[in-house]
Amino acid sequence: MRRLPRSFYNRDTIVVARELLGKYVVHQSRGVKRIGRIVEVEAYLGPHDLAAHSARGLTDRTKVMFGPPGHAYVYLIYGMYYCMNVVTEREGHASAVLLRALEPVKNVEGRTCGPGLLCKAMRIDKRLNAHDLLSDNFYIAWPDNESVGRVSPRAVIPSQSAARWESRSTGVKEGPPEANPLVIIERPRIGVDYARHWARRHLRFYIKGCPFVSRP
DNA sequence: CTCCGGATTCGT
DNA sequence: CGAATCCGGAGT
């Protein structure tokens, strides 16, 4: 699979967030390559965004957000779950995209709907904080064919749970809605009510109709 | 050093 | 709705 280049991440955070939908998170550890398809994300726009961790300034935890794009920002939440972000925009901008849900694709055990659960299932923890996503063992990639520009991603990488799409379709047997051009739903971010007016902005993006989204 | 609470999830 | 469970960040 073709990794996303640094230039992909070094762009407007909202653009990166939307374009991450449908891409593949790949994490290889101890010889096992786990793959999940990104179906839900949230954009955190920098220190002026009161919901972003970088709004507290440059600290030991947030220094990764202030670093160069294309790196993973992984942190512990509530003492028991990890959350994974992708750092975006130029160094010092301190913005990132939170991965909130994946569709299991390969070697993924357990649920992947929710930022804590997806990290657990993908075996992502603090050891991967600040990890370069242009590495060999941990990266985000295009579907094999999208780089070639032809068929549906589904034709190349069959999902572990493609059957669940069919079970949901009541009428004619058609492929998953995602086989068609992605329809992106925009909603307020989850769990950031402390951020006042920033909590109202529609900075959460997910694939319409996807059963793996944390909160439809 | 102490204290508060969190970009969550699960069980009651 | 509250517990679980650790640590970052702010204040003393």
Side-chain angles (χ1 to χ4, degrees):
Chain A
M1 297 176 76
R2 192 171 133 230
R3 284 174 304 185
L4 304 182
R6 189 84 57 199
S7 56
F8 179 95
Y9 304 102
N10 190 17
R11 294 183 297 159
D12 178 85
T13 302
I14 292 177
V15 172
V16 174
R18 297 175 62 101
E19 293 192 14
L20 277 173
L21 295 175
K23 302 299 189 294
Y24 292 81
V25 177
V26 181
H27 178 213
Q28 182 162 10
S29 67
R30 297 186 330 197
V32 180
K33 180 182 280 189
R34 305 173 202 275
I35 304 178
R37 182 168 178 263
I38 300 171
V39 298
E40 178 185 353
V41 298
E42 283 177 358
Y44 289 84
L45 305 186
H48 57 290
D49 177 357
L50 295 182
H53 289 171
S54 54
R56 300 298 167 192
L58 177 57
T59 67
D60 193 57
R61 180 172 69 150
T62 63
K63 61 186 178 187
V64 180
M65 284 188 77
F66 284 85
H71 291 253
Y73 166 45
V74 181
Y75 69 95
L76 179 67
I77 184 68
Y78 294 110
M80 55 185 70
Y81 294 102
Y82 292 97
C83 291
M84 174 188 170
N85 295 253
V86 172
V87 178
T88 60
E89 309 212 27
R90 71 183 185 282
E91 182 168 357
H93 197 275
S95 54
V97 175
L98 170 71
L99 306 188
R100 281 198 59 92
L102 304 177
E103 174 183 356
V105 173
K106 184 176 184 178
N107 290 330
V108 178
E109 301 164 17
R111 298 194 296 154
T112 51
C113 53
L117 291 175
L118 81 84
C119 283
K120 183 181 177 185
M122 291 289 290
R123 303 297 187 268
I124 295 168
D125 60 31
K126 64 180 176 184
R127 291 171 299 183
L128 291 174
N129 186 39
H131 198 95
D132 190 353
L133 292 173
L134 275 79
S135 59
D136 291 327
N137 65 316
F138 187 38
Y139 55 91
I140 300 177
W142 274 287
D144 282 337
N145 50 5
E146 182 173 332
S147 50
V148 182
R150 276 188 303 149
V151 237
S152 148
R154 200 56 64 132
V156 174
I157 302 181
S159 168
Q160 283 182 342
S161 42
R164 290 182 55 174
W165 284 100
E166 297 188 8
S167 66
R168 283 220 166 186
S169 58
T170 54
V172 190
K173 254 188 190 158
E174 50 187 344
E178 303 173 45
N180 306 317
L182 290 188
V183 178
I184 300 175
I185 304 295
E186 307 178 355
R187 289 288 181 271
R189 294 172 293 188
I190 303 292
V192 295
D193 292 338
Y194 57 85
R196 304 195 293 174
H197 67 279
W198 282 95
R200 302 284 183 182
R201 290 194 55 177
H202 286 29
L203 294 173
R204 171 173 173 250
F205 308 96
Y206 63 88
I207 297 174
K208 181 180 181 180
C210 179
F212 301 96
V213 167
S214 67
R215 286 178 52 176

